[in-house]
């Protein structure tokens, strides 16, 4: 039997691919200011820009709100005007460039300084720099990405050895100090650390976190544990092999 090898028209292929795309799930927004911008972006793409009436969009909006956020709009009417007012109320309570920048600065402030030689900490710092750089660029606040207070706050999250490497990297490449260049350096450093970890530990085991022995103890290492040999091998009163609190 002869099978045609003719390629489908591009438009038909695109339509088939579109039909098989997984449906986007809009999250429920309950009033957490940190999650508002992400929720709003999803809702705008899936509902707000869709070809449907404003009244129907308002019904959809209420469907994806809960808690405090729902209470902010549930007493409004059901008209097209009510939909616009509902969006404005949500933006006023949870959105805005000022609030977005403040949340980003809080995330930087609460970030724990990286521990020397810890590849996982550098990877987390790289993630923080990605989020900070992207969010401030999106908010058109490039002035915050210069050599200002945010930049020096980020520098303090690095240990001294990494800071020296960064300053040397700037000097060798004749680059100025700013958040963008710091991000470029940390991303490169995180990649190098990942390659080194995968080389020594193997690709499968490189992402497995080992507990910090100085700060993390297993349940069996407690002084009052039955499995603690030092605590339970010999009784301090009678020198018999039992715990001191079980001595008669």
């Amino acid at each position: 039997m002869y099978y045609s090898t003719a390629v489908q028209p591009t438009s038909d292929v695109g339509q088939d691919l579109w039909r098989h795309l997984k449906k986007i799930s809009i999250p429920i927004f309950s009033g957490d200011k940190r999650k508002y911008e992400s929720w709003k972006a999803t809702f705008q793409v899936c509902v707000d820009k869709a070809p449907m009436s404003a009244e129907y969009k308002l019904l959809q909006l209420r469907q994806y709100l809960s808690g405090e956020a729902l209470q902010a709009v549930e007493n409004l009417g059901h008209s097209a005007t009510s939909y616009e007012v509902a969006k404005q109320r949500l933006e006023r309570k949870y959105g805005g460039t000022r609030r977005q920048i403040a949340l980003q600065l809080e995330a930087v402030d609460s970030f724990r300084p990286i521990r020397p030689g810890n590849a996982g900490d550098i990877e987390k710092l790289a993630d923080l720099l990605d989020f900070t750089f992207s969010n401030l660029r999106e908010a058109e606040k490039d002035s915050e990405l210069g050599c200002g207070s945010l930049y020096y706050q980020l520098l303090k999250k690095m240990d001294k050895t990494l800071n020296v490497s960064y300053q040397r990297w700037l000097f060798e490449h004749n680059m100025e100090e700013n958040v963008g260049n710091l991000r470029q350096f940390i991303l490169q450093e995180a990649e190098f650390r990942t390659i080194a970890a995968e080389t020594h530990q193997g690709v499968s085991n490189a992402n497995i976190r080992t507990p910090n022995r100085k700060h993390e103890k297993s349940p069996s290492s407690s002084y009052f544990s039955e499995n603690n040999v030092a605590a339970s091998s010999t009784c301090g009163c009678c020198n018999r092999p039992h715990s001191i609190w079980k001595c008669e």
Side-chain angles (χ1 to χ4, degrees):
M1 183 181 294
Y2 173 76
Y3 292 93
S4 173
T5 57
V7 180
Q8 259 187 308
T10 306
S11 59
D12 293 342
V13 174
Q15 296 249 352
D16 290 341
L17 289 174
W18 181 81
R19 291 190 192 99
H20 288 87
L21 287 176
K22 183 178 179 181
K23 185 178 179 181
I24 297 175
S25 177
I26 303 175
I28 305 295
F29 178 67
S30 59
D32 188 344
K33 296 181 178 70
R34 296 170 299 177
K35 300 178 180 179
Y36 175 74
E37 292 298 330
S38 176
W39 171 85
K40 184 179 74 171
T42 307
F43 181 81
Q44 284 180 333
V45 171
C46 296
V47 177
D48 190 54
K49 296 181 179 180
M52 62 182 73
S53 67
E55 291 83 358
Y56 187 75
K57 290 179 182 178
L58 179 58
L59 295 175
Q60 291 292 320
L61 174 64
R62 288 173 174 164
Q63 181 180 342
Y64 297 112
L65 297 175
S66 68
E68 179 188 310
L70 179 60
Q71 292 175 7
V73 303
E74 65 181 354
N75 292 328
L76 298 174
H78 303 278
S79 63
T81 302
S82 298
Y83 176 62
E84 294 301 322
V85 173
K87 290 193 297 180
Q88 292 169 8
R89 293 193 69 174
L90 291 173
E91 186 69 17
R92 186 176 70 252
K93 287 176 68 69
Y94 307 108
T97 303
R98 178 196 60 79
R99 188 175 283 119
Q100 186 177 356
I101 293 174
L103 288 170
Q104 192 62 55
L105 294 178
E106 287 177 9
V108 173
D109 186 57
S110 62
F111 185 84
R112 184 181 65 179
I114 65 175
R115 293 161 291 185
N118 192 302
D121 285 358
I122 295 179
E123 187 66 36
K124 291 177 182 177
L125 180 59
D127 291 342
L128 177 69
L129 283 164
D130 271 344
F131 297 144
T132 302
F133 187 81
S134 175
N135 289 339
L136 292 179
R137 269 288 177 87
E138 188 176 340
E140 298 181 353
K141 290 293 180 180
D142 289 1
S143 58
E144 299 285 343
L145 298 174
C147 188
S149 58
L150 173 62
Y151 173 73
Y152 285 103
Q153 194 174 3
L154 288 166
L155 283 183
K156 291 180 181 178
K157 303 301 178 182
M158 302 193 297
D159 63 272
K160 290 182 180 180
T161 303
L162 189 60
N163 231 316
V164 170
S165 299
Y166 170 59
Q167 295 297 331
R168 183 181 294 112
W169 180 80
L170 288 175
F171 175 78
E172 291 175 350
H173 293 83
N174 194 25
M175 302 174 78
E176 60 181 15
E177 294 191 69
N178 56 50
V179 176
N181 288 337
L182 175 61
R183 171 177 171 264
Q184 184 178 342
F185 169 78
I186 292 297
L187 290 176
Q188 179 178 288
E189 191 70 18
E191 183 179 358
F192 292 159
R193 299 291 177 98
T194 300
I195 293 172
E198 291 177 350
T199 301
H200 288 276
Q201 302 173 24
V203 177
S204 301
N205 299 322
N207 292 327
I208 298 177
R209 293 183 59 194
T210 55
N212 188 343
R213 300 301 179 187
K214 293 182 180 179
H215 303 289
E216 298 180 19
K217 296 181 179 180
S218 63
S220 61
S221 64
S222 168
Y223 179 83
F224 297 101
S225 170
E226 286 294 325
N227 297 325
N228 192 321
V229 177
S232 62
S233 59
T234 306
C235 175
C237 291
C238 65
N239 291 324
R240 292 183 178 180
H242 58 243
S243 305
I244 189 170
W245 56 89
K246 290 186 177 181
C247 185
E248 298 179 356

